[in-house]
Amino acid sequence: VFLRIRLTPICRLFPYTWLFRCVALVCLWAPFSAWAVPTGAKMTLVSSGINHVAAEVLPYIVAQVKNTPIPDQHGSTSVSVLGTILYDVTNIRLDSFNVGGLTVATSSAQEMSASVTSVSISIHFNWRWKMKHWPHTSDSGNADGSTSGSSVQATVRISLQDGRPVLATTATTVNLNNFDIKVHSGWTEWLYKLLISLFNGSIRDSIRSSLRDSIRDAINNAANEAIASLDLIQKVDSTSEVDFSLTSQSLTDNFLNFGSKGEFYWQNHHSECPAPASPMPDVFNGEMVQTMLSDFVANSAAYTYFQAGELQYLLTAKDVPPNSPIKLNTTSLKLVIPQLYQQFPNCAMQVMIAATQSPTTQIRTSGILAQIIGDMDVQVIQPNGTVVSAFIITLQVATAGKVGVPS
């Protein structure tokens, strides 16, 4: 702690030795705080972290896909025992869409590919056929279909827009295998073969196309709408708010990085923190997800609260512990600073502690370094209520520490 004394006119009445005694006493009561918040944040997801996040998102996409509408199918074909028939497969409903394993990998500098295996679906539908010629015999019923051992692949491009990540599906592939049909009424061998043929042809193509569109829409629309609903400006208290807008994004074979602005602002007046934001390195500690904070956020927080006039505190008699042998009045300091008592006998005192510059913080591998410069204005409260500044102590406080999160 470095001290620089600036004397008010009344203080010049006292010898300097008494002032240093007073400084020692006031420092016992001075409430200093450390404002430790970062200057830019960086979140890194390694490959295992990316897969974990994707696994958390997958149920949301599956829920969207289960509502996929599948178009009706109409056509004609030739049956040996009946001749040409007209058929309709209608009310095709996707009853279930179940997935197995999920793997996500980087496919390019901005794209990731996701592969879902062991996909199985079940559908329910109505069927109807009618002979094209006389006697126009017809029949109708319903059936269930299922597939197993299927798979889905999707390639997603990640970009930034207005400080938010934007997802865009660039390719989607749906493979449907091992169709099985169970006809509940009107079963004949030729009808079964017809339905199997349709499900391995036009109906499968229709289901595959519908699923591709639904998966693409779930990513492009629903996921992006959820991202867009996130509030990038978060209020901290009645004074400040933090801007979490993303500033950068990078993708490699091993990790996905997002850089965040992480800057504090005064709600009543937005102005940029003058402290520079230093580049943040790519450092990995083996965790799935890691977050790095730089000293820019701490400095922007300090700058914000300094601008708002929040970095000050009035120390009064009520702040002194009851069992303290020294009270905040001139009587208690009579022996320490007799000249003060002679000038202001039996008067209450108070100390205004305020930062005169925005505090600064430096985050290093060895720990956190913080510096605070401010004034301690020692004041006397006269019997008529007038407050007189006795002397001002300018303080320059430098402190160091380490921050850790217990496992």
Side-chain angles (χ1 to χ4, degrees):
V1 178
F2 303 93
L3 304 180
R4 186 171 72 252
I5 308 299
R6 186 167 76 251
L7 305 181
T8 56
I10 190 170
C11 186
R12 296 192 180 99
L13 299 173
F14 313 143
Y16 284 178
T17 53
W18 298 111
L19 290 178
F20 283 108
R21 295 184 192 179
C22 182
V23 167
L25 291 172
V26 175
C27 285
L28 296 176
W29 302 322
F32 295 110
S33 300
W35 298 272
V37 207
T39 180
K42 188 176 186 179
M43 175 177 285
T44 301
L45 294 174
V46 298
S47 55
S48 58
I50 295 173
N51 277 275
H52 179 77
V53 172
E56 294 295 320
V57 175
L58 183 60
Y60 174 79
I61 296 177
V62 169
Q64 299 292 313
V65 172
K66 285 182 178 179
N67 298 321
T68 300
I70 301 173
D72 296 340
Q73 299 292 309
H74 310 280
S76 63
T77 189
S78 178
V79 178
S80 58
V81 295
L82 298 175
T84 301
I85 66 167
L86 306 176
Y87 66 83
D88 302 286
V89 178
T90 59
N91 298 324
I92 307 174
R93 183 182 71 237
L94 186 62
D95 280 345
S96 69
F97 181 87
N98 300 311
V99 299
L102 168 66
T103 303
V104 180
T106 302
S107 57
S108 71
Q110 286 187 310
E111 292 183 335
M112 292 188 299
S113 60
S115 178
V116 182
T117 57
S118 300
V119 175
S120 63
I121 67 172
S122 62
I123 62 173
H124 181 82
F125 60 93
N126 298 330
W127 56 266
R128 182 179 183 277
W129 63 267
K130 178 182 178 181
M131 293 179 61
K132 184 176 182 180
H133 304 292
W134 189 88
H136 302 296
T137 304
S138 64
D139 197 3
S140 62
N142 59 76
D144 292 312
S146 63
T147 179
S148 60
S150 302
S151 62
V152 175
Q153 291 83 34
T155 302
V156 180
R157 176 178 292 270
I158 303 175
S159 60
L160 295 182
Q161 182 177 338
D162 298 329
R164 304 174 187 272
V166 177
L167 307 181
T169 306
T170 58
T172 307
T173 303
V174 178
N175 299 308
L176 300 179
N177 304 315
N178 304 322
F179 263 111
D180 187 28
I181 301 293
K182 183 178 181 180
V183 181
H184 297 300
S185 58
W187 188 94
T188 61
E189 184 177 356
W190 69 264
L191 176 62
Y192 176 79
K193 290 180 178 179
L194 170 63
L195 293 176
I196 286 291
S197 174
L198 291 174
F199 272 90
N200 283 318
S202 60
I203 293 181
R204 180 177 64 180
D205 293 342
S206 177
I207 296 175
R208 188 163 52 194
S209 176
S210 298
L211 289 176
R212 278 200 307 263
D213 293 344
S214 183
I215 293 170
R216 184 191 63 239
D217 291 344
I219 296 174
N220 293 357
N221 298 333
N224 283 322
E225 286 176 5
I227 293 174
S229 67
L230 298 176
D231 193 352
L232 298 179
I233 306 295
Q234 293 291 327
K235 289 187 176 181
V236 178
D237 51 29
S238 59
T239 300
S240 69
E241 57 193 18
V242 185
D243 185 352
F244 287 106
S245 299
L246 298 183
T247 57
S248 64
Q249 169 260 321
S250 61
L251 183 63
T252 72
D253 291 338
N254 300 315
F255 61 85
L256 170 63
N257 272 336
F258 284 113
S260 174
K261 190 173 184 180
E263 183 171 2
F264 276 70
Y265 289 100
W266 185 14
Q267 294 178 24
N268 293 344
H269 177 67
H270 271 213
S271 64
E272 298 297 325
C273 174
S278 303
M280 302 183 70
D282 292 330
V283 180
F284 308 105
N285 58 7
E287 301 293 336
M288 288 194 303
V289 182
Q290 67 180 35
T291 301
M292 297 176 63
L293 304 175
S294 74
D295 44 29
F296 174 73
V297 181
N299 291 326
S300 71
Y303 177 71
T304 295
Y305 286 99
F306 176 73
Q307 274 191 314
E310 296 287 342
L311 301 187
Q312 59 183 15
Y313 184 80
L314 182 62
L315 185 70
T316 64
K318 67 179 181 180
D319 297 309
V320 180
N323 58 352
S324 173
I326 300 174
K327 306 300 181 182
L328 200 53
N329 55 59
T330 59
T331 304
S332 181
L333 300 177
K334 180 178 180 180
L335 297 179
V336 180
I337 315 176
Q339 292 87 345
L340 181 63
Y341 179 76
Q342 292 171 8
Q343 186 73 20
F344 302 103
N346 303 319
C347 288
M349 297 176 62
Q350 62 185 24
V351 181
M352 172 59 74
I353 305 170
T356 55
Q357 298 180 25
S358 176
T360 58
T361 300
Q362 293 181 338
I363 299 177
R364 299 291 182 264
T365 54
S366 58
I368 298 177
L369 305 176
Q371 180 173 329
I372 306 170
I373 298 176
D375 284 343
M376 297 173 59
D377 187 358
V378 181
Q379 302 170 348
V380 174
I381 306 173
Q382 299 185 90
N384 62 1
T386 303
V387 176
V388 178
S389 176
F391 54 88
I392 297 175
I393 305 170
T394 296
L395 299 176
Q396 181 176 332
V397 181
T399 183
K402 291 186 177 182
V403 177
V405 178
S407 58

